[in-house]
Amino acid sequence: QVQLVESGGGLVQAGGSLRLSCAASGRSFAMYSMAWFRQAPGKEREFVGSINWSGGSTLSPDSVKGRFVISRDSAKNTVYLQMNSLKPEDTAVYYCAARRGPGDFEYWGVGTQVTVSS
């Protein structure tokens, strides 16, 4: 069982940066693949990035590539999302997720709000 708690959201001007953190509880955190998703009002949930158990492989969609970087510190049971050059369209609730193997992400945090003003 894994519990996830996101933090670091807030209000930022366009062009600014934020770093989100996701703290995980559980002894086997290092074995989980982690991901970030976001959901804006009235829109479907969107994949933002993922990182494998070792931190050696990351994925991100074109919409954030070159601006967002996902990383993890297994010693701290924490995964990060560094967001740079933020745009108003990045405004959303950002969620952290975890899974042990392939397939759907099993565990989700409650989310943290990110608002980017123009």
Side-chain angles (χ1 to χ4, degrees):
Q1 192 78 2
V2 175
Q3 291 185 325
L4 306 173
V5 179
E6 303 95 336
S7 62
L11 174 64
V12 63
Q13 288 188 331
S17 298
L18 280 175
R19 188 177 80 157
L20 305 184
S21 299
C22 173
S25 64
R27 296 180 299 171
S28 301
F29 171 75
M31 300 302 296
Y32 285 78
S33 295
M34 305 295 296
W36 287 94
F37 292 80
R38 67 186 180 186
Q39 189 164 21
K43 294 187 177 181
E44 293 187 353
R45 187 171 61 199
E46 178 187 14
F47 169 74
V48 176
S50 65
I51 187 165
N52 71 341
W53 67 272
S54 69
S57 176
T58 62
L59 292 172
S60 60
D62 289 343
S63 58
V64 304
K65 196 164 291 184
R67 299 190 300 122
F68 291 9
V69 178
I70 187 170
S71 62
R72 68 189 296 162
D73 185 338
S74 291
K76 296 182 178 180
N77 279 13
T78 302
V79 63
Y80 303 98
L81 183 67
Q82 177 67 44
M83 305 186 295
N84 302 318
S85 302
L86 283 162
K87 305 175 182 179
E89 51 263 44
D90 294 320
T91 295
V93 177
Y94 283 71
Y95 298 91
C96 175
R99 65 182 182 190
R100 279 296 298 267
D104 294 338
F105 283 88
E106 307 162 77
Y107 305 103
W108 293 82
V110 297
T112 185
Q113 175 71 46
V114 171
T115 303
V116 184
S117 63
S118 58

